[in-house]
Amino acid sequence: MNLHIVKKILNAEVICGSEFLNRDVKMGCGCDLMSHVLAHIEHKDTLLLTGLTTPQVIYTTDVVDIKAICFVRGKRPDEEVIKLAETYNIVLLGTNLPLFESCGKLYKEGLTGISEYESSN
Amino acid sequence: MSQAIKTTKIQELAYASKVEDAMSTNIVVVTPYDSILDVWLKLRDNRISGLPVVHEDYIVGIISVEDFIKCLMLGKTNELVKDHMTSKVETIYGDELLIHILKKFEKFKFGRFPVKDRDTNKLIGILTKGDVIECLLKKLEKDYYEEESQKRNICNFFDDVCSDSTNIQLKYNVIGKEFKKAGEKSSLLKNALLKLGISTEIIRRIVIASIESEMNMIIFTDGGELIVWIDENKIKVNAVDNGPGIPDIEKAMTPGYSTAPDWVREMGFGAGMGLPNIKNCTDEMKIDSVVGRGTNLEFIVNIKNETGRNN
């Protein structure tokens, strides 16, 4: 699923990285705990959905090579975080939907989760 | 995944491109008061098959080689463009997505669309199927080069440097309680390792461990150092600080055990997963800690002869 479609499904705004919206994401991860993201995300084509908007989210996603983040429940990062994301070429989206509904909508449209993705590959 | 949202690379590019990225801006036009013969000359000289008819920057019609042939057969080549042009013109806007225009090409079977600016309605370009193909090919080429040049940048440092034993030391100063920058040093380390040609899987493991230890230093200490030793066999990191020390190391190693304050949780850390994470993604780990004196956390990821979790 490319990020254009993610944007449409979540009625999301593009905060930065609009030139990379043709990137494909193969699975989603909804999480506010960055230690969990570090420990369990092994596939770079993952979309991270989170309510956290700190610089640590960007550093974490960079470490595990995640290239797209969608902030949920109307949260938006400050300028500094956006700049950081731009330097790492990470796409930032923002939706007003809560985390559970965002994940649910994407899952319904065919984006899988980590356990399913691993068992199908 | 449902059929409707499966897309090809070309469709992706067509989604990401706008008409103005692809259109020709060097437009040959005629005015309504030019003669049909003028049309012929312009078509012939520019080797094209149709012309937009423009009056004061606004498009008022289109005239094609077929219209010219009709006039030629009827002996009307001296008459004016305005009497023989098609005045109902299908136009498109510069900010429309190429993917939508591809559908229009299919629907109308036209060879070209005049492009208007959405605000001023003035003619700003013309889009042919050839323009679309050229634009998509250029984008494909750009993506391809980006991928290729990324591959080329990664040289293998340790293969290039000849010695009996090569090692590099990198040192990063971590400042305690500087929360805004927490994670930055690990990010710098990641880039340095990439430049040394270390494989991404190894980098991933070492940087996950380093970001967790960087977080620990920032949260619990007044700062310290991340000292990274790299040789051709392994990467060793010492995260060294001057206190306060870990009173019960066994407890600290228990997943979920945390003494972190709430503000750390707000940063997405502090759930008691730090040390267990470090242990899981490294090949060796040891902690020397004296309460009141400091902690030296050492972890190693093997580069060659991996004995790590993946084998």
Side-chain angles (χ1 to χ4, degrees):
Chain A
M1 182 183 291
N2 73 32
L3 295 174
H4 286 285
I5 294 160
V6 171
K7 174 180 178 264
K8 210 162 146 192
I9 293 170
L10 299 181
N11 194 18
E13 62 161 314
V14 182
I15 301 166
C16 74
S18 57
E19 67 269 43
F20 302 120
L21 288 187
N22 52 7
R23 261 180 207 158
D24 237 351
V25 285
K26 299 212 164 58
M27 61 177 142
C29 169
C31 191
D32 281 357
L33 179 59
M34 293 304 115
S35 275
H36 179 89
V37 174
L38 285 173
H40 298 288
I41 304 300
E42 302 217 345
H43 201 287
K44 65 185 172 77
D45 297 326
T46 304
L47 170 71
L48 175 66
L49 296 111
T50 183
L52 271 192
T53 56
T54 59
Q56 284 69 41
V57 177
I58 311 294
Y59 289 127
T60 300
T61 48
D62 176 53
V63 168
V64 293
D65 285 325
I66 289 178
K67 291 292 179 202
I69 305 170
C70 182
F71 297 111
V72 296
R73 48 179 188 266
K75 290 234 187 173
R76 298 294 182 268
D78 62 28
E79 226 13 76
E80 211 173 313
V81 174
I82 296 172
K83 267 192 200 138
L84 200 58
E86 278 170 349
T87 58
Y88 291 121
N89 291 335
I90 294 170
V91 177
L92 298 183
L93 302 173
T95 177
N96 291 334
L97 295 171
L99 183 58
F100 180 76
E101 282 170 44
S102 307
C103 294
K105 280 186 185 238
L106 293 173
Y107 189 81
K108 200 169 81 183
E109 295 293 339
L111 191 69
T112 59
I114 296 163
S115 66
E116 284 178 24
Y117 186 82
E118 280 173 357
S119 60
S120 70
N121 279 274
Chain B
M1 197 166 283
S2 72
Q3 206 58 40
I5 50 178
K6 259 192 183 167
T7 50
T8 64
K9 180 77 188 167
I10 293 293
Q11 277 172 308
E12 275 180 32
L13 290 175
Y15 261 112
S17 312
K18 286 181 179 175
V19 168
E20 42 201 19
D21 303 334
M23 69 186 186
S24 317
T25 48
N26 194 2
I27 340 162
V28 184
V29 297
V30 285
T31 74
Y33 303 101
D34 285 334
S35 73
I36 296 297
L37 209 57
D38 293 330
V39 170
W40 165 240
L41 293 174
K42 284 193 174 170
L43 290 176
R44 189 197 62 188
D45 293 348
N46 296 288
R47 297 182 156 269
I48 48 181
S49 54
L51 290 167
V53 184
V54 169
H55 182 63
E56 288 172 351
D57 286 346
Y58 296 98
I59 178 147
V60 293
I62 199 151
I63 191 155
S64 69
V65 71
E66 287 85 16
D67 297 322
F68 167 75
I69 292 169
K70 250 184 247 165
C71 294
L72 186 69
M73 284 164 61
L74 301 169
K76 291 179 170 175
T77 49
N78 287 323
E79 291 186 11
L80 297 182
V81 166
K82 70 180 176 67
D83 300 318
H84 296 280
M85 67 185 190
T86 310
S87 48
K88 193 176 169 295
V89 194
E90 208 46 61
T91 59
I92 55 180
Y93 291 109
D95 59 2
E96 286 186 79
L97 296 181
L98 271 195
I99 189 87
H100 298 141
I101 306 307
L102 287 177
K103 284 170 194 155
K104 271 197 176 168
F105 271 116
E106 244 169 73
K107 185 178 163 196
F108 291 102
K109 310 280 178 209
F110 293 151
R112 73 194 66 75
F113 287 105
V115 185
K116 292 195 298 191
D117 182 87
R118 194 179 289 279
D119 297 328
T120 63
N121 255 332
K122 287 182 179 172
L123 183 73
I124 51 170
I126 194 153
L127 186 78
T128 64
K129 279 184 186 171
D131 293 329
V132 175
I133 292 168
E134 198 183 318
C135 170
L136 294 179
L137 280 176
K138 272 188 184 152
K139 294 217 166 189
L140 264 180
E141 192 186 14
K142 195 169 155 257
D143 280 8
Y144 174 78
Y145 270 116
E146 269 171 21
E147 229 168 77
E148 283 293 292
S149 59
Q150 263 172 4
K151 278 183 203 160
R152 258 202 302 276
N153 279 341
I154 301 169
C155 58
N156 196 331
F157 179 82
F158 288 97
D159 285 348
D160 289 348
V161 174
C162 298
S163 78
D164 291 330
S165 166
T166 306
N167 58 65
I168 301 175
Q169 187 196 345
L170 307 171
K171 199 164 91 177
Y172 298 94
N173 298 324
V174 178
I175 301 164
K177 311 289 186 291
E178 200 171 71
F179 319 117
K180 277 245 160 181
K181 293 199 166 167
E184 188 191 53
K185 302 294 174 171
S186 301
S187 188
L188 293 175
L189 172 63
K190 182 190 171 183
N191 279 330
L193 295 177
L194 270 174
K195 288 199 173 115
L196 290 173
I198 311 286
S199 82
T200 51
E201 174 59 23
I202 302 287
I203 292 179
R204 205 186 140 79
R205 289 167 58 197
I206 207 82
V207 178
I208 288 174
S210 117
I211 199 169
E212 290 284 10
S213 52
E214 186 183 347
M215 292 306 302
N216 281 346
M217 270 197 251
I218 287 171
I219 297 164
F220 295 110
T221 79
D222 291 331
E225 288 173 345
L226 282 170
I227 303 159
V228 187
W229 284 90
I230 308 149
D231 64 31
E232 55 188 330
N233 299 313
K234 63 177 188 300
I235 302 173
K236 184 182 87 172
V237 178
N238 287 90
V240 188
D241 65 65
N242 296 320
I246 305 169
D248 188 337
I249 293 174
E250 203 180 316
K251 232 180 180 178
M253 287 299 301
T254 312
Y257 176 80
S258 173
T259 56
D262 278 349
W263 56 261
V264 178
R265 290 167 207 263
E266 279 159 25
M267 286 159 65
F269 289 86
M273 294 308 297
L275 291 176
N277 259 3
I278 295 173
K279 192 172 174 53
N280 281 339
C281 64
T282 56
D283 293 316
E284 288 174 44
M285 165 185 167
K286 62 178 183 199
I287 306 174
D288 289 323
S289 188
V290 179
V291 173
R293 295 276 296 280
T295 301
N296 178 2
L297 166 67
E298 180 178 294
F299 52 87
I300 294 173
V301 172
N302 294 322
I303 296 176
K304 285 182 182 161
N305 310 318
E306 273 182 69
T307 54
R309 54 177 184 156
N310 291 324
N311 294 334

